[in-house]
Amino acid sequence: MTVIGIIGGSGLDDHDLLKEAKTETVDTPFGKPSAPLSMGRIDGTDVVLLSRHGNRHQYSPTQVNNRANIRALKETGVTHILATTACGSLRRKIGRGHFVIVDQFIDFTRFRKNTFFDSFENGTKHTAMPEPFDAGLRKALFATSVDLDYPTHDGGTVVTIEGPRFSTRAESHMFRAWGADIINMSTAPEAMLANEAEIPYATVAMSTDYDCWKEDEAPVSWEVIIAVFNQYADRVKKLLIKAIPRIVYQMG
């Protein structure tokens, strides 16, 4: 049975997405997840929704217990994860409100627990991760977004920084030179842990700003991000609602 987990990012974690919703508090060997899990249905499919930063957005990117979040979803039977995230654009072609169906990440975080395998006492474990985002989920998200006539980019590399500060201009130019297309504070280590847990995972990133590399634009601010959230968040919700039946059909 297909059970879809949705990890909602800043402003994109509306629990009204679910029908017949109930809340369940979960504990894991890695502690408690960011928030109680909301369990319900979308178009007849079982869905588990988790607010990445907590129900009051109380956890900074560094404070998010990614290990507990992924473990909690796995323990409740989630078979596929769809994550949402806001991001800054590092490319002119990726405008505000555009969606990027990410296919690669660069981990530039420093202080986060990024593996379930802290010790090799019970055996060596190195997880291969050449393609960290599931191709089938990515295909469904992209096709659905195109059907909805949303400006969408098929593939892109996200660089995840530690935060909570935004980049310096030198860093922003460096990330562009590295080949990154967008920047956020959430994909790593979340995607890494989903791969370790062997749960297919994909991200839809919504561009809200141009970080600070584009000198004819004002540097990113939280106020700007919130304003763009409010303008485009309903598109993300509609994308998820429409994509889930497609995913279930694809999975047979």
Side-chain angles (χ1 to χ4, degrees):
M1 183 178 72
T2 301
V3 180
I4 304 294
I6 297 176
I7 301 178
S10 303
L12 304 172
D13 51 5
D14 185 355
H15 293 249
D16 290 337
L17 283 170
L18 305 181
K19 305 296 184 185
E20 308 167 26
K22 63 179 182 179
T23 300
E24 184 172 326
T25 300
V26 178
D27 206 350
T28 79
F30 302 97
K32 292 186 180 296
S34 298
L37 304 181
S38 290
M39 301 179 177
R41 298 174 74 80
I42 292 178
D43 197 40
T45 298
D46 289 334
V47 175
V48 181
L49 177 61
L50 173 62
S51 299
R52 181 184 291 120
H53 295 282
N55 289 340
R56 296 180 289 105
H57 204 275
Q58 67 267 38
Y59 298 118
S60 75
T62 301
Q63 290 179 310
V64 172
N65 190 341
N66 292 284
R67 295 199 297 182
N69 287 352
I70 297 298
R71 182 62 176 264
L73 292 176
K74 188 175 181 70
E75 289 183 358
T76 52
V78 164
T79 59
H80 302 78
I81 295 175
L82 303 178
T84 68
T85 179
C87 68
S89 170
L90 298 173
R91 305 294 167 192
R92 292 183 185 277
K93 67 180 181 180
I94 302 175
R96 289 185 177 88
H98 287 204
F99 293 155
V100 181
I101 311 303
V102 180
D103 66 343
Q104 289 291 321
F105 70 78
I106 298 170
D107 180 12
F108 203 65
T109 64
R110 294 176 173 86
F111 307 117
R112 307 181 189 187
K113 293 287 189 180
N114 62 7
T115 181
F116 290 115
F117 306 108
D118 288 327
S119 169
F120 287 170
E121 184 177 351
N122 296 316
T124 304
K125 182 68 175 181
H126 297 286
T127 304
M129 219 166 291
E131 301 293 336
F133 300 92
D134 182 77
L137 295 179
R138 290 188 58 254
K139 180 180 178 181
L141 288 170
F142 180 71
T144 303
S145 195
V146 169
D147 286 350
L148 291 169
D149 201 28
Y150 297 156
T152 309
H153 303 266
D154 186 12
T157 296
V158 58
V159 57
T160 300
I161 63 174
E162 187 64 49
R165 71 169 178 87
F166 295 120
S167 305
T168 67
R169 187 163 283 119
E171 289 169 333
S172 196
H173 283 298
M174 178 182 71
F175 298 142
R176 281 168 45 82
W178 283 359
D181 300 295
I182 56 175
I183 181 170
N184 75 358
M185 299 179 188
S186 62
T187 299
E190 189 175 273
M192 301 151 68
L193 293 163
N195 275 267
E196 285 193 348
E198 300 181 339
I199 305 175
Y201 173 98
T203 294
V204 53
M206 181 177 72
S207 173
T208 59
D209 57 86
Y210 285 100
D211 201 38
C212 63
W213 64 272
K214 201 167 181 288
E215 297 187 29
D216 60 343
E217 299 255 356
V220 59
S221 68
W222 181 244
E223 290 73 24
V224 166
I225 291 173
I226 289 297
V228 177
F229 277 166
N230 293 338
Q231 188 174 355
Y232 294 107
D234 284 343
R235 288 188 175 187
V236 181
K237 297 169 191 175
K238 189 171 183 180
L239 170 57
L240 294 174
I241 290 169
K242 296 292 185 181
I244 285 174
R246 187 177 233 132
I247 290 166
V248 173
Y249 178 78
Q250 279 185 189
M251 302 307 163

